[in-house]
């Protein structure tokens, strides 16, 4: 098992959440877009943000940090998850 923060994906062009200048929450209140309150108030806005983040991650490529994770498997598939700002190993 490997645990990593969002920072591992920054090199792949995926913004972290808390960076004071470029983080996803630097210009937006997370409670306004990523909370039960936000979902109740405006589910379309929450889905739009999730879809945008999914498209950002779908374009990204694994970086050396991601590639260092596999442990000897011949075939490794990567997919991005819109709920985390990193790639996960599948299969």
């Amino acid at each position: 098992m490997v645990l990593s923060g969002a920072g591992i994906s920054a090199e792949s062009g995926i913004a972290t959440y808390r960076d004071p200048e470029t983080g996803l929450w630097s210009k937006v209140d997370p409670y306004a877009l990523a909370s039960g309150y936000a979902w109740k108030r405006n589910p379309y806005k929450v889905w739009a943000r999730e879809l945008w983040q999914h498209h950002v991650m779908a374009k990204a490529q694994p970086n050396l940090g991601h590639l260092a994770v596999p442990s000897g498997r011949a075939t490794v598939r990567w997919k991005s998850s819109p709920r985390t700002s990193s790639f996960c190993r599948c299969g």
Side-chain angles (χ1 to χ4, degrees):
M1 177 188 295
V2 175
L3 299 175
S4 160
I8 193 171
S9 298
E11 190 177 318
S12 293
I14 298 172
T16 64
Y17 287 94
R18 294 182 189 100
D19 184 279
E21 294 179 23
T22 61
L24 293 174
W25 304 137
S26 64
K27 296 177 179 73
V28 178
D29 178 8
Y31 294 106
L33 285 177
S35 68
Y37 169 77
W39 177 257
K40 278 180 153 182
R41 189 164 181 215
N42 193 341
Y44 299 106
K45 191 172 185 176
V46 173
W47 274 117
R49 183 212 162 270
E50 292 290 329
L51 185 60
W52 167 80
Q53 189 169 348
H54 171 75
H55 286 295
V56 168
M57 288 187 281
K59 293 179 193 175
Q61 296 296 314
N63 62 50
L64 292 177
H66 297 122
L67 298 176
V69 174
S71 59
R73 283 198 174 189
T75 304
V76 176
R77 296 178 325 173
W78 295 90
K79 75 174 187 177
S80 65
S81 168
R83 295 248 180 253
T84 63
S85 66
S86 63
F87 291 89
C88 67
R89 183 174 173 188
C90 309

